[in-house]
Amino acid sequence: SLALPDALGDAISLSAQDADSQRSLTRAERLLGLFKIWNAIRYFYPFPEMIEGDWDDILSEFIPRVTEVLGDREYYHELQHLLASLNDGHAYVGIGFPSQWRPPIEIKEIEGQAVIVAIEAGQPLYPDLASLKVGMIISEVNGQSVDDHIDTLVKWVPGATEQHRRLIAFDQLLAGKQGTNVLMRVEDENDLSSSRKVALMRTSYPTNDSSASPISWLCDDICYVNLTTIDYPGFAKATDELRSASGLILDLRGYPSEVGAGMIHDFVFDGDENVAWTHLPLVSSPDSYTQTWKIDANRTDEGSIVAYDGEVVVLTDARAISASEWLLLGLQLSNRLLIVGGFTAGTTGAITYVEIPGPAYAGFTGVKVMRGDGTPFQGIGIIPDVIVHPTIQGIREGRDEIFEKGLEVLQEL
């Protein structure tokens, strides 16, 4: 009963379950995947105002783009380009992200440069890898400037804010197929006028390193808790110990571990507050432009956990997205802590998933989240009370400047 584009005619009889992952997708299957995503977004994406361009024109643009590519990988990558136009940090194709293998180094954008911030231990050393040091700047990748690479990457990576798009783009800068080489030009830490080329093999796959203890006492009365690695039993077991601290540093520079946002919020601030308003799109007509909403207030209640009564500082940056930001919304509302670091990703709310041939799927934010006072959140994120940007010099000196500032702020409290 929906008004679908005419080009869907040769694909309408197919479903995602019909797609055989052992063969290449047909033209009809590719069109089906495109039309399913396009229509799902048309009716259920709660931020049409954030779409970059006219949604009807975008469909016309992508019909030839998805049918003329040579392979399935390229097809899914085109769909990722389509989703990038949503300006949404949740918008991605489940099977279409490029290969994630990297050389055994970690880079981040520091002061606008691609800087080596870590070199993986335990890797077989070879001359090019052994010649690198933390703090070196990468200026070229495979003969192209880093700036040009990033300009290309930000056109398809998901992101509702510039800081999140650039975070993902720099994360993808050295990614590729396992066992392939990446040629880089690096600048020495002491003489930026001299540079050299190094070749590294992609042998590492990104994982969340949880080997370090998530809880550490910095002195007799200040404790640090990494909320991105601590598990539920570990946090529950540590609550009595944490209450003995005069101050806590909670590290939320990333996605929270299995500890629920409600449990952490109850521990830090056990009160009854309206954290956010959620708007769920409702479809009541084929006309997608007469959208209605189911609106709910999301409140915190007094929980069973005895709340902590000391001082709290939370560390964050653009790696904090979705569940992290939902937690930060509640913590910030409590007015009993300070947030230190960088702006968060600016994307939260439940995800809508769409099955497409492959088998594969696409996802995008499906619920509009507004702050408790009714102001928007998507595309803005959490603005820290104390903004800190790491520096290249700090990286070279082995310092965590966000942590250092957080500790300083906590000691002042």
Side-chain angles (χ1 to χ4, degrees):
S1 63
L2 303 182
L4 300 179
D6 292 338
L8 187 55
D10 62 347
I12 194 65
S13 62
L14 296 171
S15 69
Q17 287 76 15
D18 296 324
D20 183 353
S21 61
Q22 300 305 310
R23 59 173 172 78
S24 296
L25 298 175
T26 65
R27 178 179 183 274
E29 288 169 332
R30 289 183 180 184
L31 286 172
L32 174 62
L34 171 64
F35 291 137
K36 288 187 73 174
I37 293 174
W38 185 86
N39 272 285
I41 291 168
R42 180 187 178 194
Y43 286 95
F44 295 104
Y45 184 51
F47 302 101
E49 71 279 3
M50 295 188 68
I51 295 177
E52 190 174 326
D54 181 272
W55 196 230
D56 292 340
D57 292 343
I58 290 173
L59 175 64
S60 299
E61 174 191 348
F62 274 85
I63 288 174
R65 286 180 64 166
V66 302
T67 56
E68 294 172 5
V69 290
L70 297 179
D72 291 353
R73 179 180 293 275
E74 291 75 15
Y75 163 68
Y76 292 122
H77 194 50
E78 287 296 335
L79 293 182
Q80 182 64 53
H81 274 271
L82 170 78
L83 289 169
S85 65
L86 301 185
N87 288 307
D88 174 25
H90 283 147
Y92 68 101
V93 180
I95 202 172
F97 229 62
S99 297
Q100 297 297 294
W101 290 86
R102 329 286 174 86
I105 62 174
E106 181 183 358
I107 64 168
K108 289 182 181 177
E109 182 182 18
I110 308 292
E111 297 182 295
Q113 306 282 347
V115 179
I116 299 174
V117 298
I119 299 174
E120 189 174 325
Q123 287 282 331
L125 284 180
Y126 47 94
D128 279 2
L129 179 60
S131 70
L132 299 180
K133 298 178 181 178
V134 169
M136 286 184 170
I137 297 171
I138 300 173
S139 58
E140 291 182 3
V141 176
N142 293 330
Q144 186 179 27
S145 73
V146 166
D147 288 343
D148 287 345
H149 265 295
I150 296 301
D151 287 345
T152 299
L153 288 168
V154 295
K155 295 177 181 177
W156 64 262
V157 298
T161 59
E162 180 182 5
Q163 64 266 21
H164 189 234
R165 277 188 180 274
R166 292 185 68 84
L167 173 76
I168 301 298
F170 275 85
D171 187 59
Q172 291 292 312
L173 185 61
L174 305 182
K177 294 182 180 180
Q178 183 181 15
T180 58
N181 286 332
V182 56
L183 182 64
M184 306 179 302
R185 180 175 294 278
V186 298
E187 298 174 346
D188 192 75
E189 61 176 317
N190 294 318
D191 184 5
L192 298 184
S193 64
S194 65
S195 64
R196 65 182 184 278
K197 292 183 178 181
V198 297
L200 301 180
M201 182 177 289
R202 297 181 174 103
T203 57
S204 299
Y205 198 85
T207 58
N208 187 14
D209 182 13
S210 58
S211 57
S213 174
I215 297 179
S216 58
W217 285 86
L218 307 178
C219 59
D220 290 342
D221 59 352
I222 295 180
C223 190
Y224 165 89
V225 183
N226 190 336
L227 296 180
T228 70
T229 60
I230 191 169
D231 58 19
Y232 183 91
F235 187 83
K237 183 179 180 181
T239 52
D240 288 339
E241 178 186 7
L242 295 178
R243 286 191 198 94
S244 67
S246 298
L248 295 178
I249 295 180
L250 305 180
D251 198 336
L252 200 51
R253 289 177 286 180
Y255 198 79
S257 61
E258 64 187 61
V259 179
M263 181 179 186
I264 297 171
H265 189 273
D266 285 347
F267 177 72
V268 175
F269 174 68
D270 191 7
D272 183 8
E273 297 285 350
N274 184 27
V275 174
W277 295 92
T278 56
H279 296 61
L280 179 67
L282 300 178
V283 175
S284 56
S285 165
D287 182 3
S288 63
Y289 302 105
T290 58
Q291 194 173 56
T292 57
W293 305 89
K294 180 180 184 294
I295 302 176
D296 289 315
N298 287 256
R299 305 190 65 85
T300 61
D301 300 317
E302 293 186 6
S304 59
I305 303 174
V306 177
Y308 174 73
D309 61 3
E311 304 292 349
V312 181
V313 163
V314 180
L315 312 180
T316 196
D317 60 17
R319 289 172 287 179
I321 183 173
S322 196
S324 296
E325 295 182 291
W326 185 263
L327 170 58
L328 285 167
L329 275 171
L331 294 180
Q332 193 172 50
L333 186 68
S334 70
N335 291 320
R336 65 166 310 265
L337 54 79
L338 290 178
I339 298 175
V340 175
F343 287 31
T344 61
T347 301
T348 194
I351 302 175
T352 292
Y353 293 101
V354 185
E355 288 187 350
I356 58 176
Y361 64 91
F364 55 88
T365 300
V367 175
K368 178 185 291 187
V369 174
M370 309 291 283
R371 299 174 193 270
D373 61 3
T375 56
F377 180 84
Q378 188 87 354
I380 300 172
I382 297 292
I383 301 174
D385 300 292
V386 181
I387 297 174
V388 181
H389 299 295
T391 65
I392 296 174
Q393 187 61 33
I395 295 296
R396 290 173 178 168
E397 294 173 357
R399 297 166 52 206
D400 182 345
E401 290 163 288
I402 292 179
F403 169 81
E404 290 176 356
K405 188 62 178 180
L407 180 58
E408 176 187 328
V409 168
L410 183 63
Q411 289 171 329
E412 291 176 354
L413 293 174

